[in-house]
Amino acid sequence: QVQLVESGGGLVKPGGSLRLSCAASGFSFSDYYMKWIRQAPGKGLEWVAYISTSGSTIFYADSVKGRFSISRDYARNSLYLQMNSLRAEDTAVYYCVRGRQYGDYEKEDYWGQGTLVTVSS
Amino acid sequence: SYELTQPSSVSVSPGQTATIACSGDVLARKYARWFQQKPGQAPVLVIYKDSERPSGIPERFSGSSSGTTVTLTISGAQVEDEADYYCYSAADNSWVFGGGTKLTVL
């Protein structure tokens, strides 16, 4: 069955760095684009980053551009999010999400359970 | 930047029809998705391509679109449908969520 398992969250000081991982299994990893989506405590959902099936196309939300870097490893079936210069407002549960493009629409059908990142001194 | 606007809360009695609207200029040219999120759980896709229902989602969930507004309808809402609902769409090299609607069924 499809599984997305995030790891790497934790407590970090402002200005610090953290690397999140998402281990994918149960499907052909290279057939799906991947995203990171986050949710601050008690708040709504926010898209963070996108990486295409080939890894050649990457987009970031303005709120993280220049600080976060998304990547994927096909040999390990894993997705990553390198987070630098962390701020208190980056505190959130980070979800790994798979999606597929079908012509003019997209379908994102599986989410991981999330990993909590807390930025605090 | 693009915005999607939805009501913060909707309340219905069990068996009634719940409707949640989501509006935004981008919806005139991009399809919407709807996610359901229950407390402490990851979101679940309930509608994609404005009105398509993934396998395993009950038939009481439906979606529609008109111009810059999409609507999620839950016909005969059940107590277990109580959750937060988010509309979501692609924009220009980005993606945007609505602020979320808390659906209360009691």
Side-chain angles (χ1 to χ4, degrees), chain A:
Chain A
Q1 74 281 20
V2 174
Q3 281 198 308
L4 297 169
V5 180
E6 302 95 337
S7 60
L11 175 64
V12 61
K13 289 182 168 54
S17 298
L18 213 53
R19 188 195 194 207
L20 306 184
S21 299
C22 171
S25 61
F27 65 100
S28 178
F29 186 61
S30 59
D31 287 346
Y32 290 80
Y33 65 74
M34 301 297 294
K35 291 180 180 176
W36 288 99
I37 291 171
R38 69 184 180 183
Q39 186 171 36
K43 301 297 184 183
L45 299 167
E46 180 189 15
W47 165 73
V48 173
Y50 160 94
I51 186 166
S52 63
T53 54
S54 67
S56 60
T57 301
I58 287 173
F59 299 119
Y60 298 99
D62 288 343
S63 57
V64 306
K65 204 172 292 183
R67 301 186 299 120
F68 289 13
S69 176
I70 188 172
S71 61
R72 61 192 300 170
D73 184 331
Y74 299 93
R76 290 183 166 80
N77 283 350
S78 291
L79 175 73
Y80 304 101
L81 186 68
Q82 177 66 43
M83 304 186 295
N84 300 327
S85 303
L86 282 161
R87 305 166 180 166
E89 54 264 35
D90 296 318
T91 294
V93 173
Y94 285 73
Y95 294 101
C96 163
V97 182
R98 82 162 193 181
R100 200 154 188 176
Q101 186 81 37
Y102 298 91
D104 62 350
Y105 73 95
E106 303 164 347
K107 185 180 178 184
E108 288 147 359
D109 56 357
Y110 276 92
W111 296 52
Q113 282 305 302
T115 187
L116 175 62
V117 172
T118 303
V119 184
S120 175
S121 54

Side-chain angles (χ1 to χ4, degrees), chain B residues 2 7 10-12 20 25 27-29 31 33 38 41 44 47 55 57 62 66-67 73 79-80 85 89 95 100 104:
Chain B
Y2 296 93
V10 168
S11 292
V12 297
I20 301 172
D25 290 342
L27 298 177
R29 54 186 179 88
Y31 288 112
R33 284 151 276 181
K38 296 181 179 179
Q41 298 183 18
V44 172
I47 294 289
S55 60
I57 300 301
S62 64
S66 179
T73 300
V79 173
E80 60 262 32
Y85 290 85
S89 180
W95 288 263
T104 302

Side-chain angles (χ1 to χ4, degrees), chain B residues 37-85:
Chain B
Q37 186 180 33
K38 296 181 179 179
Q41 298 183 18
V44 172
L45 181 69
V46 294
I47 294 289
Y48 66 97
K49 200 183 178 187
D50 285 350
S51 60
E52 298 292 318
R53 196 174 51 249
S55 60
I57 300 301
E59 290 184 9
R60 63 180 179 271
F61 288 87
S62 64
S64 62
S65 175
S66 179
T68 59
T69 299
V70 294
T71 302
L72 174 69
T73 300
I74 307 172
S75 303
Q78 305 296 307
V79 173
E80 60 262 32
D81 299 331
E82 187 163 290
D84 293 326
Y85 290 85

